[in-house]
């Protein structure tokens, strides 16, 4: 089971989820739609506050907290997000990806599943102050620029950069309230 220990009293985390073998799944809209729709669902119905995100071709960065600032509750919607998206992405891969990719996901699987889409475990860093949050938002939003995909962060459609930089809301609800840090 993918489990990360959250620190007592720290409700906000910068998380990274990586596709096995760094497979570039998120180059097709149907794959990125699963991620965006699931983030939306977790925000609306699971109490997950999303402060920022970026979907890159082979990984996702996001800053999350619980709607009640309870880090004990935070693990559940994140784990459910990974599980749900993993199943949905695996189903899409059957008809949309090279056979070699299917072999890679089957080889990475553990005894409790047929395939593994996400690398085992996930990296989470406690966001302990506003400067760190802003540094991580900048890092995330500039990731597509550093990769050479776009000239400006706000040009990357699979990101919260347009909201943070231009005030334009996107498909994923973003919580701009981080004054509690």
């Amino acid at each position: 089971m993918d489990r990360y220990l959250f620190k007592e009293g720290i409700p906000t985390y910068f998380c990274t989820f990586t596709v096995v073998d760094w497979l570039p799944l998120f180059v097709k809209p149907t794959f990125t739609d699963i991620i965006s729709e699931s983030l939306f669902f977790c925000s609306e119905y699971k109490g997950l506050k999303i402060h920022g995100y970026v979907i890159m071709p082979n990984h996702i960065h996001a800053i999350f907290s619980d709607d009640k600032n309870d880090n004990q509750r935070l693990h559940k919607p994140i784990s459910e997000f990974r599980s749900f998206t993993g199943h949905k992405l695996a189903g899409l891969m059957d008809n949309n990806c090279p056979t070699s990719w299917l072999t890679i996901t089957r080889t990475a699987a553990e005894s409790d599943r047929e395939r593994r889409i996400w690398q085992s475990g996930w990296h989470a860093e406690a966001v302990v102050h506003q400067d760190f949050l802003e540094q991580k938002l900048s890092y995330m939003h500039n990731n597509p620029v550093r990769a050479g995909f776009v000239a400006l962060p706000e040009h990357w459609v699979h990101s919260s950069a347009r909201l943070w930089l231009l005030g334009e809301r996107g498909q994923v609800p973003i919580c701009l309230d981080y004054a509690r840090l």
Side-chain angles (χ1 to χ4, degrees), residues 24-70:
L25 283 183
F26 307 120
V27 295
K28 295 184 178 184
T30 51
F31 288 87
T32 55
D33 288 348
I34 287 172
I35 300 301
S36 296
E37 290 166 7
S38 186
L39 287 172
F40 176 86
F41 183 85
C42 289
S43 173
E44 294 295 310
Y45 303 104
K46 299 284 186 177
L48 188 66
K49 286 168 63 174
I50 304 161
H51 302 278
Y53 77 99
V54 65
I55 304 170
M56 296 297 289
N58 52 20
H59 67 284
I60 300 166
H61 293 299
I63 299 174
F64 297 129
S65 65
D66 174 69
D67 64 353
K68 297 188 181 351
N69 288 322
D70 180 352

Side-chain angles (χ1 to χ4, degrees), residues 2 9 15 43-44 71 80 105 110 112 128 145 151 155-156 164 173-174:
D2 298 328
C15 300
S43 173
E44 294 295 310
N71 68 5
E80 289 172 352
T105 61
E110 295 175 354
D112 64 336
V128 294
V145 175
H155 293 166
W156 190 251
W164 280 101
I174 302 301

